[in-house]
Amino acid sequence: MAERLIGQRPTLEDVARRAEVSKSTVSRVINGEPRVRAAVAERIREAVAELGYVPNQAARSLVTRRNDAVAVVVTEPQNRLFVDPYFDCLLRGIRHELVQHGAQPVLLFIEEQEDYPRVCNFLGGGHVDGALLFSLRADDPLPDLVEQMGLPAVFGGRPVPGSGHRSDVYTYVDADNRGGAREAVRHLVSLGRRRIATITGPLDQASAMDRLDGYRDVLLDTPPQLLAEADFTLQGGADAMALLLDQAPDLDAVFVASDLMASGALRILRERGRTVPGDVAVVGFDDLTPIAEATEPPLTTVRQDIEGMGRLMARLLCDRTSHQPLRKDRAHSLPSVITPTHLVIRDSA
């Protein structure tokens, strides 16, 4: 049973006395520095366990200049996190990796313009070691604001082309959205489908733009009545599918830019009396198994490793913040990563 000092919180001096070393040696071991002999480090860890010593985080931060906390900034309505499994997968990957590095996520939401000063004041206030940011739009000022703060950051998704946010400056993790969309549409073409529509995500987000570009890579001269923009939500997919059926009742396939929207599209097809895949073949994007395997029929979709992307974002940031601060001219020298996608064929196509 761990021995604890009665009536007081164990101090660094108590650990040093028990382990018969200096306070500075104890501090180096607690802060993970490698310059301590293994036997001495083990003796210190035993003393920490015996005394029940817990480091004073505020004092430790003054010494290490680290908070062991990372901001996770989401520019989406807060309720999206509870209805869209995409965010659950992404946050699960982020949290798992941060915990492995001894850091905790601090979740921040930007739902309206008035939230920016609050979030920026927090990010610039020395509370976190870095930031992970995703769901950014074309006109989002956050990348430039984070850059001006000098705060290490990794972005989920590449910057939107033409937004002024340069993809060669910001470190980001993204999926091969364009290549995955091409594979999906080519599959529909190979099934003999000739009137292939698409439901896009918001076209001020790079992922939605890339998936539309992949669709257009295969279908060069698509009439506008076969395109409908939505918002990556269930209801958005349903509304877009209803619009497409009104505009192009002879469509025989649809590529939908997310599984959640595809689930809404399938509901409308059933309500309109269209069989899937008999009358209309449907392909989604994400391979969120709680959705893709539960739809009727099960959904053919493009798989991206969402949880793995979250882990990779966190790993890139932790690799950066765990070393000596980078010089200003190297502040964004970490390489960005595009992860592969592949088509998972089920009954809907």
Side-chain angles (χ1 to χ4, degrees):
M1 185 175 180
E3 176 187 342
R4 297 183 182 273
L5 298 177
I6 299 174
Q8 65 182 42
R9 176 177 175 170
T11 66
L12 196 70
E13 290 85 349
D14 296 326
V15 175
R17 192 179 304 114
R18 174 63 61 90
E20 299 180 339
V21 296
S22 68
K23 288 195 302 179
S24 61
T25 303
V26 174
S27 180
R28 286 199 297 273
V29 171
I30 289 173
N31 291 321
E33 296 183 21
R35 297 172 297 161
V36 180
R37 287 187 292 114
V40 174
E42 181 59 30
R43 195 161 75 240
I44 291 170
R45 283 190 285 268
E46 289 176 357
V48 167
E50 290 169 1
L51 296 174
Y53 172 72
V54 177
N56 183 313
Q57 184 60 36
R60 184 182 177 195
S61 295
L62 288 174
V63 175
T64 64
R65 297 185 179 180
R66 289 179 55 80
N67 298 282
D68 292 332
V70 168
V72 180
V73 185
V74 185
T75 54
E76 293 283 357
Q78 188 170 340
N79 61 2
R80 281 285 305 275
L81 268 70
F82 302 105
V83 298
D84 190 338
Y86 174 89
F87 292 106
D88 179 61
C89 288
L90 190 67
L91 291 172
R92 186 164 60 241
I94 288 171
R95 181 188 175 280
H96 188 280
E97 191 66 28
L98 290 180
V99 167
Q100 297 299 311
H101 287 82
Q104 290 296 324
V106 178
L107 195 57
L108 303 172
F109 292 94
I110 296 179
E111 299 189 59
E112 52 194 25
Q113 202 67 27
E114 290 74 17
D115 292 329
Y116 280 97
R118 172 183 56 81
V119 169
C120 288
N121 285 338
F122 182 84
L123 294 177
H127 305 292
V128 293
D129 301 318
L132 301 169
L133 308 98
F134 51 92
S135 292
L136 299 177
R137 308 293 174 119
D139 58 352
D140 200 310
L142 208 52
D144 292 338
L145 293 171
V146 169
E147 162 76 6
Q148 291 164 14
M149 294 173 196
L151 185 69
V154 175
F155 295 84
R158 69 183 183 89
V160 176
S163 64
H165 304 147
R166 292 168 48 199
S167 59
D168 61 333
V169 170
Y170 300 105
T171 299
Y172 64 88
V173 174
D174 205 355
D176 182 11
N177 293 297
R178 188 167 185 164
R182 276 197 302 265
E183 186 178 9
V185 178
R186 284 171 180 159
H187 175 67
L188 291 170
V189 171
S190 75
L191 297 176
R193 307 293 168 148
R194 292 296 174 263
R195 291 280 285 172
I196 303 172
T198 187
I199 297 173
T200 78
L203 293 177
D204 58 354
Q205 289 187 318
S207 60
M209 295 170 66
D210 288 344
R211 292 171 198 179
L212 177 57
D213 286 342
Y215 167 89
R216 285 174 165 159
D217 287 343
V218 181
L219 304 174
L220 302 178
D221 300 313
T222 304
Q225 60 265 32
L226 289 177
L227 275 64
E229 181 178 353
D231 59 359
F232 285 139
T233 67
L234 182 74
Q235 189 59 48
D239 293 343
M241 189 71 251
L243 176 64
L244 286 172
L245 288 172
D246 291 341
Q247 294 179 161
D250 60 339
L251 65 84
D252 61 4
V254 58
F255 165 58
V256 190
S258 80
D259 288 353
L260 196 58
M261 293 195 300
S263 180
L266 287 169
R267 175 169 63 82
I268 295 301
L269 288 168
R270 281 196 304 273
E271 291 176 0
R272 295 286 186 94
R274 305 296 180 92
T275 62
V276 177
D279 296 326
V280 181
V282 179
V283 177
F285 200 110
D286 288 331
D287 195 29
L288 294 165
T289 52
I291 297 175
E293 294 182 353
T295 57
E296 181 56 45
L299 185 64
T300 293
T301 184
V302 177
R303 185 173 197 278
Q304 58 174 336
D305 184 3
I306 300 167
E307 184 171 342
M309 290 165 64
R311 294 187 64 162
L312 184 54
M313 286 176 64
R315 190 178 311 139
L316 284 171
L317 185 65
C318 289
D319 285 348
R320 180 171 163 189
T321 59
S322 63
H323 298 98
Q324 292 297 318
L326 296 175
R327 297 195 315 268
K328 183 72 173 175
D329 62 341
R330 296 181 57 213
H332 295 282
S333 61
L334 288 176
S336 296
V337 180
I338 301 292
T339 63
T341 60
H342 67 272
L343 189 67
V344 178
I345 298 176
R346 299 189 180 93
D347 293 346
S348 71

